[in-house]
Amino acid sequence: FFKRLRENMAKTREALGAELQATLFEGDIDEDTWERLEEALIMADVGAQTTAKVVGQLEQEATEGGLVGGEALSQRLTELLADIARTGDGRIDVSHGPTVIMTIGVNGTGKTTTIGKLAWHLQKELGLTVVLGAADTFRAAAVEQLEQWSVRAGCEIVKGPEGSDPGSVAFEAVKRGREIGADVVIVDTAGRLHNQDHLMEELAKIRRVIGKQLADAPHETLLTVDSTTGQNGLRQAQLFSQAVPVDGIVLTKLDGTAKGGIALAIAAETGIPVKLIGIGEALEDLRPFDADDFAAALLS
Ligand code: GDP
């Protein structure tokens, strides 16, 4: 897995690496080092605040004499980045019988693909029973796409007629999950950001309706964030978490971006753990997020 993560994160590695490997980590640390480091982290979308914090910490350690030479700097930087990325508990507990996972996120961020990969993993690799709820009733294409994924994963899907009430579809999906003794119910939701207030209300309502069917549900609300959109992803995380409690981030399309550092900005500035990462379009390209592997892959 680590090797594949490194390969798929080649672009972020190049963005950071070109600056860092060549000039920073060879030879002595000097004034120039900090400026270049700062620039490289900003370019990788680590964010101004987080970058300042990391560089400040390293500078202080170097001044105090605890950091000598490029190799030590590289190692310490990896540690610091991993510490920042490691927010809360990254695990998803699927033992609620059924565990209800609500997925939210802006259209195009990879929400449907993530649901498909997750359903496939749970059903085919872990042997659990999954039900999908197609509560993005606004887009007929979204329902169709989700249906295709349900076939691939070999799981049931609950849907309503086009334009039907998203809350009622979510309600029926959880009900169906309980009826057949499913382990996990994954509820898709709409992601049209142009009608922001309405969307946020709709998400809050779906959440309440799910809670009527199963009191402690949804157990997990996952927000998909497209890593290629850089700092926009951070703003989306802030926006959605104001409307509904977000338990975890799924950072998608990490294979196609030089901006993988956004994972650190999101973790540092929202405190929401990144739980899963998308590193390609294939079924097996959804992985648990590991802060240490991630930081190492950024820099090695
Ligand atoms: P939604 O509108 O949020 O449901 O987004 P989709 O799931 O339809 O995904 C939008 C596009 O992004 C599709 O072409 C997906 O194949 C692609 N996609 C999703 N996740 C990933 C990923 O991790 N890596 C890559 N390279 N593409 C992805």
Side-chain angles (χ1 to χ4, degrees), residues 241-293:
S241 59
Q242 280 163 14
V244 287
V246 179
D247 301 299
I249 305 268
V250 182
L251 199 60
T252 64
K253 310 185 197 180
L254 265 178
D255 50 307
T257 182
K259 296 177 175 295
I262 193 62
L264 301 165
I266 290 176
E269 290 180 39
T270 67
I272 304 168
V274 177
K275 293 199 173 182
L276 299 167
I277 53 174
I279 52 171
E281 292 180 275
L283 280 165
E284 65 276 13
D285 288 337
L286 184 73
R287 302 293 168 128
F289 178 74
D290 180 289
D292 294 304
D293 286 354

mmCIF file of all heavy atoms in Angstrom, residues 241-293:
data_model
loop_
_atom_site.group_PDB
_atom_site.id
_atom_site.type_symbol
_atom_site.label_atom_id
_atom_site.label_comp_id
_atom_site.label_asym_id
_atom_site.label_seq_id
_atom_site.Cartn_x
_atom_site.Cartn_y
_atom_site.Cartn_z
ATOM 1 N N SER A 241 -19.371 21.656 7.825
ATOM 2 C CA SER A 241 -19.366 21.293 9.247
ATOM 3 C C SER A 241 -20.151 22.302 10.089
ATOM 4 O O SER A 241 -20.460 22.035 11.240
ATOM 5 C CB SER A 241 -17.940 21.111 9.772
ATOM 6 O OG SER A 241 -17.202 22.293 9.600
ATOM 7 N N GLN A 242 -20.473 23.444 9.483
ATOM 8 C CA GLN A 242 -21.374 24.371 10.186
ATOM 9 C C GLN A 242 -22.819 23.879 10.106
ATOM 10 O O GLN A 242 -23.638 24.182 10.976
ATOM 11 C CB GLN A 242 -21.281 25.771 9.574
ATOM 12 C CG GLN A 242 -20.057 26.545 10.055
ATOM 13 C CD GLN A 242 -19.735 27.728 9.154
ATOM 14 O OE1 GLN A 242 -20.551 28.139 8.334
ATOM 15 N NE2 GLN A 242 -18.533 28.258 9.308
ATOM 16 N N ALA A 243 -23.149 23.133 9.048
ATOM 17 C CA ALA A 243 -24.524 22.675 8.844
ATOM 18 C C ALA A 243 -24.811 21.353 9.555
ATOM 19 O O ALA A 243 -25.866 21.179 10.155
ATOM 20 C CB ALA A 243 -24.808 22.532 7.354
ATOM 21 N N VAL A 244 -23.892 20.415 9.460
ATOM 22 C CA VAL A 244 -24.051 19.110 10.119
ATOM 23 C C VAL A 244 -22.713 18.702 10.736
ATOM 24 O O VAL A 244 -21.659 19.095 10.244
ATOM 25 C CB VAL A 244 -24.497 18.003 9.115
ATOM 26 C CG1 VAL A 244 -25.947 18.166 8.707
ATOM 27 C CG2 VAL A 244 -23.593 17.960 7.907
ATOM 28 N N PRO A 245 -22.752 17.931 11.817
ATOM 29 C CA PRO A 245 -21.480 17.487 12.391
ATOM 30 C C PRO A 245 -20.775 16.543 11.414
ATOM 31 O O PRO A 245 -21.387 15.594 10.941
ATOM 32 C CB PRO A 245 -21.905 16.709 13.654
ATOM 33 C CG PRO A 245 -23.357 16.937 13.835
ATOM 34 C CD PRO A 245 -23.919 17.404 12.540
ATOM 35 N N VAL A 246 -19.546 16.851 11.068
ATOM 36 C CA VAL A 246 -18.786 16.011 10.140
ATOM 37 C C VAL A 246 -17.791 15.166 10.949
ATOM 38 O O VAL A 246 -16.998 15.698 11.711
ATOM 39 C CB VAL A 246 -18.036 16.868 9.096
ATOM 40 C CG1 VAL A 246 -17.228 15.982 8.152
ATOM 41 C CG2 VAL A 246 -19.006 17.736 8.304
ATOM 42 N N ASP A 247 -17.881 13.843 10.780
ATOM 43 C CA ASP A 247 -17.022 12.953 11.569
ATOM 44 C C ASP A 247 -15.698 12.657 10.882
ATOM 45 O O ASP A 247 -14.720 12.319 11.530
ATOM 46 C CB ASP A 247 -17.733 11.619 11.823
ATOM 47 C CG ASP A 247 -19.037 11.825 12.559
ATOM 48 O OD1 ASP A 247 -18.996 12.345 13.681
ATOM 49 O OD2 ASP A 247 -20.103 11.493 11.996
ATOM 50 N N GLY A 248 -15.709 12.774 9.561
ATOM 51 C CA GLY A 248 -14.478 12.438 8.853
ATOM 52 C C GLY A 248 -14.482 12.982 7.441
ATOM 53 O O GLY A 248 -15.530 13.258 6.857
ATOM 54 N N ILE A 249 -13.280 13.160 6.923
ATOM 55 C CA ILE A 249 -13.106 13.648 5.556
ATOM 56 C C ILE A 249 -12.611 12.491 4.687
ATOM 57 O O ILE A 249 -11.788 11.688 5.132
ATOM 58 C CB ILE A 249 -12.017 14.756 5.513
ATOM 59 C CG1 ILE A 249 -12.333 15.888 6.499
ATOM 60 C CG2 ILE A 249 -11.774 15.244 4.096
ATOM 61 C CD1 ILE A 249 -13.108 17.035 5.970
ATOM 62 N N VAL A 250 -13.155 12.413 3.485
ATOM 63 C CA VAL A 250 -12.584 11.527 2.473
ATOM 64 C C VAL A 250 -11.896 12.443 1.472
ATOM 65 O O VAL A 250 -12.548 13.240 0.799
ATOM 66 C CB VAL A 250 -13.665 10.696 1.751
ATOM 67 C CG1 VAL A 250 -13.019 9.749 0.745
ATOM 68 C CG2 VAL A 250 -14.534 9.942 2.740
ATOM 69 N N LEU A 251 -10.589 12.362 1.406
ATOM 70 C CA LEU A 251 -9.832 13.228 0.515
ATOM 71 C C LEU A 251 -9.624 12.487 -0.803
ATOM 72 O O LEU A 251 -8.905 11.497 -0.860
ATOM 73 C CB LEU A 251 -8.500 13.569 1.174
ATOM 74 C CG LEU A 251 -7.761 14.779 0.637
ATOM 75 C CD1 LEU A 251 -8.598 16.039 0.777
ATOM 76 C CD2 LEU A 251 -6.446 14.952 1.372
ATOM 77 N N THR A 252 -10.307 12.971 -1.858
ATOM 78 C CA THR A 252 -10.292 12.244 -3.135
ATOM 79 C C THR A 252 -9.256 12.806 -4.103
ATOM 80 O O THR A 252 -8.752 13.916 -3.915
ATOM 81 C CB THR A 252 -11.675 12.315 -3.808
ATOM 82 O OG1 THR A 252 -11.947 13.685 -4.131
ATOM 83 C CG2 THR A 252 -12.769 11.783 -2.899
ATOM 84 N N LYS A 253 -8.982 12.029 -5.135
ATOM 85 C CA LYS A 253 -8.138 12.422 -6.279
ATOM 86 C C LYS A 253 -6.723 12.827 -5.867
ATOM 87 O O LYS A 253 -6.111 13.690 -6.492
ATOM 88 C CB LYS A 253 -8.817 13.552 -7.078
ATOM 89 C CG LYS A 253 -10.286 13.243 -7.422
ATOM 90 C CD LYS A 253 -10.914 14.294 -8.306
ATOM 91 C CE LYS A 253 -12.434 14.187 -8.284
ATOM 92 N NZ LYS A 253 -13.099 15.185 -9.113
ATOM 93 N N LEU A 254 -6.240 12.197 -4.830
ATOM 94 C CA LEU A 254 -4.868 12.494 -4.405
ATOM 95 C C LEU A 254 -3.843 12.049 -5.440
ATOM 96 O O LEU A 254 -2.698 12.481 -5.402
ATOM 97 C CB LEU A 254 -4.566 11.792 -3.071
ATOM 98 C CG LEU A 254 -4.767 12.634 -1.810
ATOM 99 C CD1 LEU A 254 -4.486 11.795 -0.576
ATOM 100 C CD2 LEU A 254 -3.850 13.856 -1.811
ATOM 101 N N ASP A 255 -4.282 11.177 -6.353
ATOM 102 C CA ASP A 255 -3.376 10.695 -7.399
ATOM 103 C C ASP A 255 -3.141 11.750 -8.467
ATOM 104 O O ASP A 255 -2.176 11.687 -9.203
ATOM 105 C CB ASP A 255 -3.961 9.432 -8.052
ATOM 106 C CG ASP A 255 -5.420 9.633 -8.477
ATOM 107 O OD1 ASP A 255 -6.221 10.053 -7.629
ATOM 108 O OD2 ASP A 255 -5.733 9.371 -9.646
ATOM 109 N N GLY A 256 -4.025 12.762 -8.551
ATOM 110 C CA GLY A 256 -3.889 13.683 -9.679
ATOM 111 C C GLY A 256 -3.555 15.098 -9.266
ATOM 112 O O GLY A 256 -3.936 16.044 -9.928
ATOM 113 N N THR A 257 -2.850 15.280 -8.158
ATOM 114 C CA THR A 257 -2.660 16.641 -7.679
ATOM 115 C C THR A 257 -1.275 16.889 -7.101
ATOM 116 O O THR A 257 -0.628 15.972 -6.608
ATOM 117 C CB THR A 257 -3.712 16.982 -6.599
ATOM 118 O OG1 THR A 257 -3.515 18.326 -6.186
ATOM 119 C CG2 THR A 257 -3.579 16.075 -5.395
ATOM 120 N N ALA A 258 -0.863 18.138 -7.191
ATOM 121 C CA ALA A 258 0.372 18.540 -6.525
ATOM 122 C C ALA A 258 0.022 19.212 -5.199
ATOM 123 O O ALA A 258 0.852 19.814 -4.554
ATOM 124 C CB ALA A 258 1.148 19.497 -7.418
ATOM 125 N N LYS A 259 -1.261 19.115 -4.827
ATOM 126 C CA LYS A 259 -1.738 19.849 -3.661
ATOM 127 C C LYS A 259 -2.173 18.939 -2.522
ATOM 128 O O LYS A 259 -3.102 19.252 -1.797
ATOM 129 C CB LYS A 259 -2.883 20.761 -4.081
ATOM 130 C CG LYS A 259 -2.448 21.826 -5.068
ATOM 131 C CD LYS A 259 -3.617 22.671 -5.523
ATOM 132 C CE LYS A 259 -3.165 23.800 -6.418
ATOM 133 N NZ LYS A 259 -2.312 24.776 -5.771
ATOM 134 N N GLY A 260 -1.511 17.810 -2.375
ATOM 135 C CA GLY A 260 -1.863 16.858 -1.319
ATOM 136 C C GLY A 260 -1.729 17.434 0.077
ATOM 137 O O GLY A 260 -2.303 16.916 1.028
ATOM 138 N N GLY A 261 -0.992 18.532 0.192
ATOM 139 C CA GLY A 261 -0.799 19.176 1.480
ATOM 140 C C GLY A 261 -2.087 19.700 2.091
ATOM 141 O O GLY A 261 -2.151 19.996 3.279
ATOM 142 N N ILE A 262 -3.156 19.752 1.279
ATOM 143 C CA ILE A 262 -4.441 20.235 1.776
ATOM 144 C C ILE A 262 -4.935 19.354 2.936
ATOM 145 O O ILE A 262 -5.671 19.818 3.803
ATOM 146 C CB ILE A 262 -5.489 20.309 0.632
ATOM 147 C CG1 ILE A 262 -6.725 21.104 1.057
ATOM 148 C CG2 ILE A 262 -5.886 18.955 0.124
ATOM 149 C CD1 ILE A 262 -6.483 22.533 1.404
ATOM 150 N N ALA A 263 -4.529 18.097 2.948
ATOM 151 C CA ALA A 263 -4.903 17.202 4.056
ATOM 152 C C ALA A 263 -4.445 17.793 5.387
ATOM 153 O O ALA A 263 -5.154 17.730 6.385
ATOM 154 C CB ALA A 263 -4.274 15.821 3.861
ATOM 155 N N LEU A 264 -3.278 18.397 5.376
ATOM 156 C CA LEU A 264 -2.714 18.975 6.604
ATOM 157 C C LEU A 264 -3.456 20.241 6.995
ATOM 158 O O LEU A 264 -3.752 20.466 8.162
ATOM 159 C CB LEU A 264 -1.234 19.284 6.401
ATOM 160 C CG LEU A 264 -0.387 18.069 6.033
ATOM 161 C CD1 LEU A 264 0.949 18.506 5.495
ATOM 162 C CD2 LEU A 264 -0.214 17.175 7.242
ATOM 163 N N ALA A 265 -3.773 21.064 5.991
ATOM 164 C CA ALA A 265 -4.496 22.310 6.269
ATOM 165 C C ALA A 265 -5.863 21.994 6.867
ATOM 166 O O ALA A 265 -6.294 22.625 7.833
ATOM 167 C CB ALA A 265 -4.641 23.125 4.992
ATOM 168 N N ILE A 266 -6.545 21.010 6.293
ATOM 169 C CA ILE A 266 -7.878 20.647 6.795
ATOM 170 C C ILE A 266 -7.793 20.101 8.220
ATOM 171 O O ILE A 266 -8.546 20.511 9.106
ATOM 172 C CB ILE A 266 -8.555 19.620 5.854
ATOM 173 C CG1 ILE A 266 -8.926 20.297 4.524
ATOM 174 C CG2 ILE A 266 -9.796 19.030 6.508
ATOM 175 C CD1 ILE A 266 -9.503 19.359 3.495
ATOM 176 N N ALA A 267 -6.851 19.207 8.433
ATOM 177 C CA ALA A 267 -6.703 18.617 9.772
ATOM 178 C C ALA A 267 -6.376 19.698 10.798
ATOM 179 O O ALA A 267 -6.977 19.763 11.876
ATOM 180 C CB ALA A 267 -5.619 17.540 9.756
ATOM 181 N N ALA A 268 -5.433 20.587 10.442
ATOM 182 C CA ALA A 268 -4.984 21.609 11.389
ATOM 183 C C ALA A 268 -6.063 22.650 11.658
ATOM 184 O O ALA A 268 -6.243 23.103 12.782
ATOM 185 C CB ALA A 268 -3.721 22.285 10.868
ATOM 186 N N GLU A 269 -6.796 23.029 10.628
ATOM 187 C CA GLU A 269 -7.704 24.166 10.791
ATOM 188 C C GLU A 269 -9.138 23.791 11.127
ATOM 189 O O GLU A 269 -9.901 24.628 11.607
ATOM 190 C CB GLU A 269 -7.625 25.076 9.557
ATOM 191 C CG GLU A 269 -6.266 25.780 9.542
ATOM 192 C CD GLU A 269 -6.073 26.703 8.363
ATOM 193 O OE1 GLU A 269 -7.038 27.374 7.982
ATOM 194 O OE2 GLU A 269 -4.947 26.748 7.845
ATOM 195 N N THR A 270 -9.544 22.536 10.882
ATOM 196 C CA THR A 270 -10.905 22.138 11.256
ATOM 197 C C THR A 270 -10.911 21.109 12.387
ATOM 198 O O THR A 270 -11.923 20.941 13.059
ATOM 199 C CB THR A 270 -11.684 21.507 10.072
ATOM 200 O OG1 THR A 270 -11.071 20.260 9.746
ATOM 201 C CG2 THR A 270 -11.699 22.417 8.870
ATOM 202 N N GLY A 271 -9.818 20.399 12.559
ATOM 203 C CA GLY A 271 -9.776 19.358 13.585
ATOM 204 C C GLY A 271 -10.536 18.103 13.178
ATOM 205 O O GLY A 271 -10.616 17.139 13.926
ATOM 206 N N ILE A 272 -11.099 18.109 11.961
ATOM 207 C CA ILE A 272 -11.827 16.917 11.492
ATOM 208 C C ILE A 272 -10.810 15.918 10.936
ATOM 209 O O ILE A 272 -9.985 16.284 10.103
ATOM 210 C CB ILE A 272 -12.831 17.277 10.370
ATOM 211 C CG1 ILE A 272 -13.804 18.363 10.847
ATOM 212 C CG2 ILE A 272 -13.596 16.044 9.913
ATOM 213 C CD1 ILE A 272 -14.636 18.974 9.714
ATOM 214 N N PRO A 273 -10.860 14.672 11.391
ATOM 215 C CA PRO A 273 -9.868 13.727 10.878
ATOM 216 C C PRO A 273 -10.097 13.340 9.419
ATOM 217 O O PRO A 273 -11.235 13.163 9.001
ATOM 218 C CB PRO A 273 -10.038 12.496 11.781
ATOM 219 C CG PRO A 273 -11.374 12.618 12.398
ATOM 220 C CD PRO A 273 -11.726 14.079 12.421
ATOM 221 N N VAL A 274 -9.024 13.259 8.664
ATOM 222 C CA VAL A 274 -9.101 12.653 7.334
ATOM 223 C C VAL A 274 -9.134 11.150 7.593
ATOM 224 O O VAL A 274 -8.237 10.602 8.232
ATOM 225 C CB VAL A 274 -7.871 13.020 6.470
ATOM 226 C CG1 VAL A 274 -7.949 12.315 5.123
ATOM 227 C CG2 VAL A 274 -7.796 14.529 6.270
ATOM 228 N N LYS A 275 -10.197 10.477 7.149
ATOM 229 C CA LYS A 275 -10.326 9.047 7.451
ATOM 230 C C LYS A 275 -9.983 8.155 6.262
ATOM 231 O O LYS A 275 -9.459 7.074 6.432
ATOM 232 C CB LYS A 275 -11.743 8.747 7.937
ATOM 233 C CG LYS A 275 -12.046 9.380 9.296
ATOM 234 C CD LYS A 275 -13.224 8.729 9.978
ATOM 235 C CE LYS A 275 -13.359 9.282 11.397
ATOM 236 N NZ LYS A 275 -14.468 8.653 12.137
ATOM 237 N N LEU A 276 -10.349 8.633 5.070
ATOM 238 C CA LEU A 276 -10.109 7.811 3.884
ATOM 239 C C LEU A 276 -9.506 8.686 2.798
ATOM 240 O O LEU A 276 -9.738 9.896 2.764
ATOM 241 C CB LEU A 276 -11.423 7.208 3.371
ATOM 242 C CG LEU A 276 -12.187 6.271 4.309
ATOM 243 C CD1 LEU A 276 -13.597 6.020 3.788
ATOM 244 C CD2 LEU A 276 -11.449 4.942 4.447
ATOM 245 N N ILE A 277 -8.752 8.055 1.903
ATOM 246 C CA ILE A 277 -8.234 8.801 0.763
ATOM 247 C C ILE A 277 -8.549 8.051 -0.539
ATOM 248 O O ILE A 277 -8.544 6.822 -0.569
ATOM 249 C CB ILE A 277 -6.700 9.038 0.865
ATOM 250 C CG1 ILE A 277 -5.950 7.722 1.089
ATOM 251 C CG2 ILE A 277 -6.379 10.027 1.976
ATOM 252 C CD1 ILE A 277 -4.436 7.868 1.057
ATOM 253 N N GLY A 278 -8.834 8.823 -1.570
ATOM 254 C CA GLY A 278 -9.052 8.253 -2.899
ATOM 255 C C GLY A 278 -7.792 8.467 -3.712
ATOM 256 O O GLY A 278 -7.326 9.596 -3.844
ATOM 257 N N ILE A 279 -7.244 7.370 -4.220
ATOM 258 C CA ILE A 279 -5.991 7.498 -4.964
ATOM 259 C C ILE A 279 -6.116 6.939 -6.379
ATOM 260 O O ILE A 279 -5.152 6.463 -6.958
ATOM 261 C CB ILE A 279 -4.814 6.825 -4.216
ATOM 262 C CG1 ILE A 279 -5.158 5.380 -3.832
ATOM 263 C CG2 ILE A 279 -4.428 7.618 -2.971
ATOM 264 C CD1 ILE A 279 -3.986 4.574 -3.298
ATOM 265 N N GLY A 280 -7.321 7.007 -6.929
ATOM 266 C CA GLY A 280 -7.534 6.544 -8.293
ATOM 267 C C GLY A 280 -9.002 6.216 -8.509
ATOM 268 O O GLY A 280 -9.812 6.369 -7.593
ATOM 269 N N GLU A 281 -9.341 5.795 -9.725
ATOM 270 C CA GLU A 281 -10.738 5.551 -10.040
ATOM 271 C C GLU A 281 -11.157 4.097 -9.883
ATOM 272 O O GLU A 281 -12.340 3.776 -9.983
ATOM 273 C CB GLU A 281 -11.027 6.042 -11.471
ATOM 274 C CG GLU A 281 -10.928 7.562 -11.572
ATOM 275 C CD GLU A 281 -11.212 8.072 -12.970
ATOM 276 O OE1 GLU A 281 -10.272 8.104 -13.787
ATOM 277 O OE2 GLU A 281 -12.367 8.442 -13.232
ATOM 278 N N ALA A 282 -10.183 3.216 -9.646
ATOM 279 C CA ALA A 282 -10.508 1.789 -9.547
ATOM 280 C C ALA A 282 -11.140 1.457 -8.192
ATOM 281 O O ALA A 282 -11.027 2.221 -7.237
ATOM 282 C CB ALA A 282 -9.243 0.957 -9.751
ATOM 283 N N LEU A 283 -11.829 0.314 -8.154
ATOM 284 C CA LEU A 283 -12.539 -0.100 -6.935
ATOM 285 C C LEU A 283 -11.656 -0.140 -5.698
ATOM 286 O O LEU A 283 -12.076 0.214 -4.606
ATOM 287 C CB LEU A 283 -13.144 -1.496 -7.161
ATOM 288 C CG LEU A 283 -14.443 -1.538 -7.954
ATOM 289 C CD1 LEU A 283 -14.740 -2.951 -8.417
ATOM 290 C CD2 LEU A 283 -15.589 -0.996 -7.111
ATOM 291 N N GLU A 284 -10.413 -0.566 -5.891
ATOM 292 C CA GLU A 284 -9.549 -0.735 -4.720
ATOM 293 C C GLU A 284 -8.795 0.549 -4.361
ATOM 294 O O GLU A 284 -7.974 0.552 -3.459
ATOM 295 C CB GLU A 284 -8.570 -1.905 -4.919
ATOM 296 C CG GLU A 284 -7.553 -1.720 -6.028
ATOM 297 C CD GLU A 284 -8.095 -2.111 -7.411
ATOM 298 O OE1 GLU A 284 -9.316 -2.286 -7.553
ATOM 299 O OE2 GLU A 284 -7.281 -2.214 -8.338
ATOM 300 N N ASP A 285 -9.120 1.635 -5.044
ATOM 301 C CA ASP A 285 -8.377 2.883 -4.813
ATOM 302 C C ASP A 285 -8.939 3.783 -3.712
ATOM 303 O O ASP A 285 -8.833 5.003 -3.770
ATOM 304 C CB ASP A 285 -8.266 3.681 -6.125
ATOM 305 C CG ASP A 285 -7.296 3.043 -7.093
ATOM 306 O OD1 ASP A 285 -6.412 2.288 -6.631
ATOM 307 O OD2 ASP A 285 -7.414 3.281 -8.305
ATOM 308 N N LEU A 286 -9.551 3.152 -2.721
ATOM 309 C CA LEU A 286 -9.971 3.900 -1.533
ATOM 310 C C LEU A 286 -9.205 3.298 -0.363
ATOM 311 O O LEU A 286 -9.221 2.079 -0.178
ATOM 312 C CB LEU A 286 -11.480 3.748 -1.315
ATOM 313 C CG LEU A 286 -12.072 4.560 -0.165
ATOM 314 C CD1 LEU A 286 -12.126 6.045 -0.516
ATOM 315 C CD2 LEU A 286 -13.492 4.074 0.160
ATOM 316 N N ARG A 287 -8.510 4.108 0.385
ATOM 317 C CA ARG A 287 -7.634 3.586 1.435
ATOM 318 C C ARG A 287 -7.836 4.312 2.749
ATOM 319 O O ARG A 287 -8.211 5.485 2.745
ATOM 320 C CB ARG A 287 -6.158 3.788 1.031
ATOM 321 C CG ARG A 287 -5.775 3.147 -0.275
ATOM 322 C CD ARG A 287 -5.833 1.649 -0.146
ATOM 323 N NE ARG A 287 -5.735 1.033 -1.449
ATOM 324 C CZ ARG A 287 -4.875 0.074 -1.776
ATOM 325 N NH1 ARG A 287 -4.046 -0.388 -0.868
ATOM 326 N NH2 ARG A 287 -4.862 -0.430 -2.984
ATOM 327 N N PRO A 288 -7.547 3.621 3.850
ATOM 328 C CA PRO A 288 -7.554 4.344 5.118
ATOM 329 C C PRO A 288 -6.426 5.367 5.116
ATOM 330 O O PRO A 288 -5.382 5.143 4.496
ATOM 331 C CB PRO A 288 -7.303 3.259 6.159
ATOM 332 C CG PRO A 288 -6.748 2.094 5.420
ATOM 333 C CD PRO A 288 -7.210 2.200 4.001
ATOM 334 N N PHE A 289 -6.647 6.476 5.757
ATOM 335 C CA PHE A 289 -5.613 7.512 5.831
ATOM 336 C C PHE A 289 -4.672 7.181 6.977
ATOM 337 O O PHE A 289 -5.099 6.929 8.093
ATOM 338 C CB PHE A 289 -6.279 8.869 6.073
ATOM 339 C CG PHE A 289 -5.290 9.995 6.221
ATOM 340 C CD1 PHE A 289 -4.617 10.484 5.121
ATOM 341 C CD2 PHE A 289 -5.034 10.561 7.464
ATOM 342 C CE1 PHE A 289 -3.705 11.529 5.250
ATOM 343 C CE2 PHE A 289 -4.124 11.608 7.602
ATOM 344 C CZ PHE A 289 -3.454 12.088 6.488
ATOM 345 N N ASP A 290 -3.382 7.174 6.682
ATOM 346 C CA ASP A 290 -2.383 6.944 7.721
ATOM 347 C C ASP A 290 -1.448 8.148 7.736
ATOM 348 O O ASP A 290 -0.748 8.412 6.763
ATOM 349 C CB ASP A 290 -1.624 5.649 7.424
ATOM 350 C CG ASP A 290 -0.567 5.358 8.491
ATOM 351 O OD1 ASP A 290 0.464 6.069 8.550
ATOM 352 O OD2 ASP A 290 -0.794 4.421 9.271
ATOM 353 N N ALA A 291 -1.470 8.876 8.848
ATOM 354 C CA ALA A 291 -0.730 10.144 8.921
ATOM 355 C C ALA A 291 0.766 9.964 8.678
ATOM 356 O O ALA A 291 1.387 10.765 7.974
ATOM 357 C CB ALA A 291 -0.972 10.800 10.275
ATOM 358 N N ASP A 292 1.340 8.902 9.236
ATOM 359 C CA ASP A 292 2.790 8.703 9.093
ATOM 360 C C ASP A 292 3.162 8.372 7.645
ATOM 361 O O ASP A 292 4.101 8.937 7.099
ATOM 362 C CB ASP A 292 3.265 7.592 10.025
ATOM 363 C CG ASP A 292 3.099 7.995 11.483
ATOM 364 O OD1 ASP A 292 3.643 9.042 11.865
ATOM 365 O OD2 ASP A 292 2.399 7.282 12.218
ATOM 366 N N ASP A 293 2.384 7.447 7.060
ATOM 367 C CA ASP A 293 2.638 7.096 5.659
ATOM 368 C C ASP A 293 2.450 8.312 4.767
ATOM 369 O O ASP A 293 3.202 8.538 3.822
ATOM 370 C CB ASP A 293 1.658 6.007 5.185
ATOM 371 C CG ASP A 293 2.016 4.648 5.754
ATOM 372 O OD1 ASP A 293 3.076 4.548 6.411
ATOM 373 O OD2 ASP A 293 1.225 3.709 5.565
#
